[in-house]
Amino acid sequence: MQNKFPKDFLWGVATSAYQTEGNNFNSDWWKWEQEGGTEHKSGVACDYWNHWRRDHILLTELGVNSLRFSIEWSRIEPEEGKFSPSAIEHYREMLQDLKLRNIKTQITFWWWTSPIWFQEKYGFHKKASIKIFSRYIERVTHELGGLIDIFQILNEPMVPLGQGYLTGMFPPGKRNPLKLWLALKNIARAYVESYKIIHALKPDAQVGMTHLYNWYEPGKSNFFGKMIYKVSKWFRVMAFNRRIKGYQDFFGLNYYRLGKINLRKIRSEKINFFIEEDKNNIMGWIAYPEGIYKSIMEAHRDYNLPIYITENGFPTDIGIDDNARVKFIQGHLYFVKKAVSEGANIIGYNHWSFLDNYEWLYGFAPRFGLVEIDYKTLERKPRKSFYAYQKIIKNNGLLEISS
Ligand code: BGC
């Protein structure tokens, strides 16, 4: 196996608006927090909205040539049809600064949160959402498209759809399979519309989205174990992809962990399953470096597109020595490189995350950052993994590799 990544490989980190910016009070998730939908409130989060200039200096120190971040729809369009010039200007300044730093810009337009008015009046289960969403995409592309290198219209839509329309844990808090199906159909159409709009405005744009592509296996190799695994695979990956065929310039792949799916019980019409957990991990996640290779090779075979590893990371507790994250990065990159050497066309890799951040239902306890945030003082402190990743980037690959 060759010991280097391709010459133009994009080495990056990822963050999302709602999880880092703070004070996104026009967002449906903010309202969800106030109404008790979550145990933890996001508050000022990392206050990235005001600290981004300082944080960009850290990006340069880290040596990345690409940054994935998202723009918050509820800031850009706080009231229906009224776009905020100051929010657009703010994102323009961020993008310009990255350009000056020679850092490519990957922008995600929808990372699970929507403006309150959108959720109250529309929601993706209503057909009108397609028009409303594409109008937002058109406006942003028109204003900022010249500064965006890679367009990622949606982040992992099946996660908020499942949680928002089936379990009721995310806004809009519904448990309604029919609405889930409608929302899936509409958001996929909104995606395709947006893809066309972006290409019409910027013909050479790189446009796609990201998919959660953890490696799942049936825990028990019996009939029911395999069945539940197949249904989950259809839901996680195939349900969306079959609707957007031909409208992805790359396949954005987010990989975190191994999920062994087991059946808990089948009683009358109720089917219940659980995913095995690592008791020593703060979110119960099982780190499985080889899984990233398996996921990449499967996506390569099934979709035959350039692949962008848009997220890969590991939650830890605060106060650990960070060796686990260093090992995680090295182990996963070993397998990314194996996939490269076996013919997968991989454009780049983003570590999740640049900064510790608000982890949705889990709040601030799980730490994902290469940079630690002290939430009392908002002080930023690069971790050991920051320097390990810096070294990897500098060498465009790994020197010492362990799997
Ligand atoms: C999501 C992030 C989240 C991360 C860790 C990803 O699937 O895109 O928003 O923080 O997982 O749970």
Side-chain angles (χ1 to χ4, degrees):
M1 185 162 64
Q2 63 184 54
N3 199 27
K4 291 270 176 189
F5 284 81
K7 199 167 108 301
D8 301 321
F9 199 74
L10 295 174
W11 292 103
V13 280
T15 64
S16 93
Y18 196 87
Q19 295 177 267
T20 55
E21 285 178 355
N23 285 329
N24 268 311
F25 46 76
N26 287 316
S27 158
D28 61 345
W29 191 283
W30 185 273
K31 187 162 176 255
W32 188 244
E33 289 170 13
Q34 310 308 314
E35 289 170 349
T38 59
E39 202 181 314
H40 313 275
K41 295 196 169 72
S42 53
V44 298
C46 313
D47 200 15
Y48 184 56
W49 187 252
N50 295 308
H51 285 73
W52 65 267
R53 285 186 190 281
R54 215 172 65 177
D55 293 335
H56 283 191
I57 297 172
L58 277 176
L59 286 177
T60 298
E61 191 185 333
L62 180 58
V64 291
N65 56 12
S66 188
L67 172 71
R68 175 176 181 220
F69 69 106
S70 68
I71 50 175
E72 184 66 26
W73 183 9
S74 66
R75 281 192 195 269
I76 304 249
E77 194 180 356
E79 287 176 57
E80 184 173 359
K82 290 195 182 142
F83 292 86
S84 159
S86 66
I88 293 174
E89 209 35 50
H90 184 101
Y91 287 120
R92 191 193 313 282
E93 279 176 28
M94 288 175 77
L95 289 162
Q96 281 167 339
D97 182 73
L98 292 167
K99 290 275 155 197
L100 289 175
R101 294 176 184 280
N102 274 325
I103 294 177
K104 289 226 190 292
T105 53
Q106 310 163 54
I107 295 299
T108 303
F109 289 72
W110 188 77
W111 201 305
W112 303 0
T113 55
S114 307
I116 295 173
W117 60 262
F118 172 82
Q119 199 61 278
E120 285 179 344
K121 191 165 162 193
Y122 305 96
F124 280 110
H125 55 285
K126 298 216 178 117
K127 203 168 167 199
S129 63
I130 302 172
K131 219 169 68 214
I132 301 291
F133 184 79
S134 4
R135 180 181 61 186
Y136 154 63
I137 299 292
E138 181 165 22
R139 183 60 177 257
V140 176
T141 308
H142 177 73
E143 296 273 0
L144 305 174
L147 293 165
I148 301 174
D149 294 305
I150 294 151
F151 294 72
Q152 295 155 356
I153 300 168
L154 305 171
N155 178 59
E156 303 177 355
M158 294 316 287
V159 176
L161 288 183
Q163 299 278 49
Y165 287 93
L166 216 51
T167 67
M169 308 271 278
F170 283 16
K174 301 197 187 303
R175 294 185 185 172
N176 184 327
L178 174 65
K179 287 199 171 133
L180 169 71
W181 181 75
L182 290 170
L184 164 63
K185 214 168 97 171
N186 291 334
I187 200 170
R189 284 189 54 196
Y191 169 85
V192 171
E193 274 309 300
S194 306
Y195 176 95
K196 290 181 187 160
I197 289 170
I198 297 169
H199 270 293
L201 290 169
K202 194 176 177 185
D204 60 345
Q206 285 292 300
V207 189
M209 57 174 281
T210 73
H211 306 267
L212 183 57
Y213 215 122
N214 287 326
W215 186 254
Y216 288 94
E217 287 172 0
K220 296 218 168 25
S221 246
N222 55 28
F223 172 75
F224 288 114
K226 284 186 183 145
M227 182 188 75
I228 201 95
Y229 162 76
K230 278 194 180 147
V231 172
S232 93
K233 178 154 187 211
W234 178 84
F235 183 77
R236 286 181 291 106
V237 191
M238 285 134 87
F240 205 90
N241 268 293
R242 58 184 275 274
R243 292 175 182 275
I244 62 165
K245 209 162 177 235
Y247 294 100
Q248 289 182 97
D249 301 332
F250 60 88
F251 189 94
L253 188 151
N254 292 351
Y255 174 83
Y256 285 90
R257 58 170 168 147
L258 171 67
K260 287 201 172 192
I261 305 182
N262 286 293
L263 202 63
R264 204 194 307 269
K265 62 176 178 227
I266 309 181
R267 213 186 326 116
S268 62
E269 77 285 5
K270 271 202 171 158
I271 301 182
N272 199 340
F273 65 89
F274 71 98
I275 296 174
E276 286 175 27
E277 297 197 333
D278 176 351
K279 301 268 176 304
N280 296 319
N281 182 271
I282 183 163
M283 287 171 73
W285 289 6
I286 302 176
Y288 180 50
E290 199 175 346
I292 198 167
Y293 163 79
K294 293 180 175 174
S295 292
I296 293 170
M297 295 318 277
E298 191 177 87
H300 171 60
R301 185 197 68 205
D302 291 352
Y303 302 104
N304 194 24
L305 285 166
I307 292 175
Y308 203 144
I309 314 292
T310 34
E311 282 172 49
N312 173 234
F314 186 62
T316 64
D317 290 284
I318 185 75
I320 43 102
D321 63 11
D322 210 32
N323 284 334
R325 197 177 333 270
V326 172
K327 201 166 154 244
F328 180 96
I329 296 174
Q330 292 177 337
H332 283 72
L333 285 175
Y334 170 85
F335 281 107
V336 173
K337 196 148 56 62
K338 181 168 157 67
V340 170
S341 68
E342 289 177 21
N345 176 6
I346 304 179
I347 314 169
Y349 170 92
N350 295 326
H351 190 72
W352 179 269
S353 182
F354 173 36
L355 310 170
D356 285 343
N357 58 61
Y358 175 71
E359 178 55 27
W360 308 110
L361 298 176
Y362 291 85
F364 290 104
R367 303 291 182 142
F368 277 92
L370 296 177
V371 177
E372 179 181 322
I373 304 275
D374 178 331
Y375 289 109
K376 286 204 186 87
T377 61
L378 292 178
E379 193 198 335
R380 277 70 170 145
K381 210 160 81 203
R383 293 196 164 99
K384 206 180 214 177
S385 50
F386 178 98
Y387 297 104
Y389 191 43
Q390 180 189 56
K391 204 162 148 197
I392 290 168
I393 297 172
K394 210 164 168 191
N395 288 298
N396 191 34
L398 304 174
L399 296 177
E400 304 137 34
I401 309 155
S402 60
S403 59

Coordinates of all heavy atoms in Angstrom, one line a residue, residues 347-378:
I347 N -11.9 12.4 -2.2 CA -11.4 13.8 -2.4 C -10.8 14.3 -1.2 O -9.9 15.1 -1.2 CB -12.6 14.7 -2.7 CG1 -13.6 14.1 -3.7 CG2 -12.2 16.1 -3.1 CD1 -14.9 14.9 -3.8
G348 N -11.3 14.0 0.0 CA -10.8 14.6 1.2 C -11.4 14.0 2.5 O -12.3 13.1 2.4
Y349 N -10.9 14.5 3.6 CA -11.3 14.0 4.9 C -11.5 15.2 5.8 O -10.6 16.1 5.9 CB -10.2 13.1 5.4 CG -10.3 12.7 6.9 CD1 -10.9 11.5 7.2 CD2 -9.8 13.4 7.9 CE1 -11.1 11.1 8.5 CE2 -9.9 13.1 9.2 CZ -10.5 11.9 9.5 OH -10.6 11.5 10.9
N350 N -12.6 15.2 6.6 CA -12.8 16.2 7.6 C -12.9 15.5 8.9 O -13.7 14.6 9.1 CB -14.2 16.9 7.4 CG -14.3 17.7 6.2 OD1 -13.3 18.3 5.7 ND2 -15.5 17.8 5.6
H351 N -12.1 16.0 9.9 CA -12.3 15.5 11.2 C -13.4 16.2 11.9 O -13.6 17.4 11.8 CB -11.0 15.6 12.1 CG -11.1 14.8 13.3 ND1 -11.1 13.5 13.4 CD2 -11.4 15.2 14.6 CE1 -11.3 13.1 14.6 NE2 -11.5 14.1 15.4
W352 N -14.3 15.5 12.6 CA -15.4 16.0 13.4 C -14.9 15.9 14.9 O -14.8 14.8 15.3 CB -16.7 15.3 13.2 CG -17.7 15.9 14.1 CD1 -18.1 15.5 15.4 CD2 -18.6 17.0 13.8 NE1 -19.0 16.3 15.9 CE2 -19.4 17.3 15.0 CE3 -18.7 17.9 12.7 CZ2 -20.3 18.3 15.1 CZ3 -19.7 18.9 12.8 CH2 -20.4 19.1 14.0
S353 N -14.6 17.0 15.5 CA -14.8 18.3 15.1 C -13.6 19.2 15.3 O -12.7 18.8 16.0 CB -16.1 18.8 15.8 OG -16.4 20.1 15.4
F354 N -13.7 20.3 14.7 CA -12.6 21.3 15.0 C -12.7 21.7 16.5 O -11.7 21.6 17.2 CB -12.9 22.5 14.1 CG -12.0 23.7 14.3 CD1 -10.7 23.6 14.6 CD2 -12.6 25.0 14.1 CE1 -9.9 24.8 14.8 CE2 -11.8 26.1 14.3 CZ -10.5 26.0 14.6
L355 N -13.9 22.1 16.9 CA -14.1 22.6 18.3 C -15.0 21.6 19.1 O -15.9 21.1 18.4 CB -14.7 24.0 18.3 CG -14.1 25.0 17.4 CD1 -15.0 26.3 17.4 CD2 -12.7 25.5 18.0
D356 N -14.9 21.5 20.4 CA -15.9 20.9 21.2 C -17.2 21.7 20.9 O -17.1 22.9 20.6 CB -15.6 21.1 22.7 CG -14.6 20.2 23.2 OD1 -14.3 19.2 22.5 OD2 -14.0 20.4 24.3
N357 N -18.3 21.1 21.0 CA -19.6 21.8 20.6 C -20.8 21.2 21.3 O -20.7 20.2 22.0 CB -19.7 21.9 19.1 CG -19.7 20.5 18.5 OD1 -20.6 19.7 18.7 ND2 -18.7 20.2 17.6
Y358 N -21.9 21.8 21.0 CA -23.2 21.4 21.5 C -23.7 20.1 20.8 O -24.0 20.2 19.6 CB -24.2 22.5 21.3 CG -25.7 22.2 21.7 CD1 -26.0 22.1 23.1 CD2 -26.7 22.1 20.7 CE1 -27.3 21.8 23.4 CE2 -28.0 21.8 21.1 CZ -28.3 21.6 22.4 OH -29.6 21.4 22.8
E359 N -23.7 19.0 21.5 CA -24.0 17.7 20.9 C -25.5 17.4 21.0 O -25.9 16.4 21.7 CB -23.1 16.6 21.5 CG -23.3 15.2 21.0 CD -23.2 15.0 19.5 OE1 -22.6 15.8 18.8 OE2 -23.9 14.1 19.0
W360 N -26.4 18.2 20.5 CA -27.8 18.0 20.4 C -28.4 17.5 21.7 O -28.2 18.1 22.7 CB -28.1 17.1 19.2 CG -27.5 17.6 17.9 CD1 -26.5 17.0 17.2 CD2 -27.9 18.7 17.2 NE1 -26.2 17.7 16.1 CE2 -27.0 18.8 16.0 CE3 -28.8 19.8 17.3 CZ2 -27.1 19.8 15.1 CZ3 -28.9 20.8 16.3 CH2 -28.0 20.8 15.2
L361 N -29.0 16.3 21.7 CA -29.7 15.8 22.9 C -28.7 15.6 24.1 O -29.2 15.5 25.2 CB -30.5 14.5 22.6 CG -31.6 14.7 21.5 CD1 -32.2 13.3 21.2 CD2 -32.7 15.7 22.0
Y362 N -27.5 15.4 23.8 CA -26.5 15.1 24.8 C -25.9 16.3 25.4 O -25.1 16.2 26.4 CB -25.3 14.2 24.2 CG -25.7 12.8 23.9 CD1 -26.3 12.6 22.6 CD2 -25.6 11.8 24.8 CE1 -26.7 11.3 22.3 CE2 -25.9 10.5 24.4 CZ -26.5 10.2 23.2 OH -26.8 9.0 22.8
G363 N -26.2 17.5 24.9 CA -25.6 18.7 25.5 C -24.1 18.9 25.3 O -23.6 18.5 24.2
F364 N -23.4 19.4 26.3 CA -22.0 19.8 26.1 C -21.1 18.7 26.7 O -19.9 18.9 26.6 CB -21.7 21.1 26.8 CG -22.4 22.3 26.1 CD1 -23.5 22.9 26.5 CD2 -21.8 22.7 24.9 CE1 -24.1 23.9 25.8 CE2 -22.4 23.8 24.2 CZ -23.6 24.4 24.6
A365 N -21.6 17.6 27.3 CA -20.7 16.7 27.9 C -19.8 15.9 27.0 O -18.6 15.8 27.2 CB -21.5 15.7 28.8
P366 N -20.3 15.4 25.9 CA -19.4 14.7 25.0 C -18.4 15.7 24.3 O -18.9 16.7 23.8 CB -20.3 14.0 23.9 CG -21.7 14.1 24.5 CD -21.7 15.3 25.4
R367 N -17.2 15.3 24.3 CA -16.1 16.2 23.7 C -15.6 15.6 22.4 O -15.1 14.5 22.4 CB -15.0 16.4 24.7 CG -15.4 17.0 26.0 CD -15.9 18.4 25.9 NE -16.2 19.0 27.2 CZ -16.0 20.2 27.5 NH1 -15.3 21.0 26.7 NH2 -16.4 20.7 28.6
F368 N -15.9 16.3 21.3 CA -15.4 15.8 20.0 C -14.3 16.7 19.4 O -13.8 16.4 18.3 CB -16.6 16.0 19.0 CG -17.6 14.8 19.0 CD1 -18.7 14.9 19.8 CD2 -17.4 13.7 18.2 CE1 -19.7 13.9 19.8 CE2 -18.4 12.7 18.2 CZ -19.5 12.8 19.0
G369 N -13.9 17.7 20.1 CA -13.0 18.7 19.4 C -11.5 18.3 19.4 O -11.0 17.7 20.3
L370 N -10.8 18.8 18.3 CA -9.4 18.8 18.3 C -9.0 20.0 19.3 O -7.8 20.0 19.8 CB -8.8 19.1 16.9 CG -9.1 18.0 15.9 CD1 -8.6 18.5 14.5 CD2 -8.5 16.7 16.3
V371 N -9.9 20.9 19.4 CA -9.7 22.0 20.3 C -10.7 22.0 21.4 O -11.9 21.9 21.2 CB -9.8 23.4 19.5 CG1 -9.7 24.6 20.5 CG2 -8.8 23.4 18.4
E372 N -10.2 22.0 22.6 CA -11.1 22.0 23.8 C -11.7 23.4 24.1 O -11.0 24.4 23.9 CB -10.2 21.5 25.0 CG -11.0 21.5 26.3 CD -10.1 21.1 27.5 OE1 -9.2 20.2 27.3 OE2 -10.3 21.6 28.6
I373 N -12.9 23.4 24.5 CA -13.6 24.7 24.8 C -13.8 24.6 26.3 O -14.4 23.7 26.8 CB -14.9 24.9 24.1 CG1 -14.8 24.8 22.6 CG2 -15.6 26.2 24.6 CD1 -14.4 26.0 21.9
D374 N -13.4 25.7 27.0 CA -13.8 25.9 28.4 C -15.1 26.7 28.4 O -15.1 27.9 28.0 CB -12.7 26.6 29.1 CG -13.1 26.9 30.6 OD1 -14.3 27.0 30.9 OD2 -12.1 27.0 31.4
Y375 N -16.2 26.0 28.6 CA -17.5 26.7 28.4 C -17.7 27.8 29.4 O -18.7 28.6 29.2 CB -18.7 25.7 28.5 CG -18.6 24.8 27.2 CD1 -18.3 23.5 27.3 CD2 -18.9 25.4 26.0 CE1 -18.3 22.7 26.1 CE2 -18.9 24.6 24.8 CZ -18.6 23.3 24.9 OH -18.5 22.5 23.8
K376 N -16.9 27.9 30.5 CA -17.1 29.1 31.4 C -16.4 30.3 30.9 O -16.9 31.4 30.9 CB -16.5 28.7 32.8 CG -17.4 27.7 33.5 CD -17.1 27.8 35.0 CE -17.9 26.7 35.7 NZ -17.1 25.4 35.8
T377 N -15.2 30.1 30.4 CA -14.4 31.3 29.9 C -14.4 31.4 28.4 O -13.9 32.4 27.9 CB -12.9 31.1 30.4 OG1 -12.4 29.9 29.7 CG2 -12.8 31.0 31.9
L378 N -14.8 30.4 27.7 CA -14.8 30.3 26.2 C -13.4 30.2 25.7 O -13.1 30.4 24.5 CB -15.6 31.4 25.6 CG -17.1 31.3 25.8 CD1 -17.8 32.5 25.1 CD2 -17.7 30.0 25.2

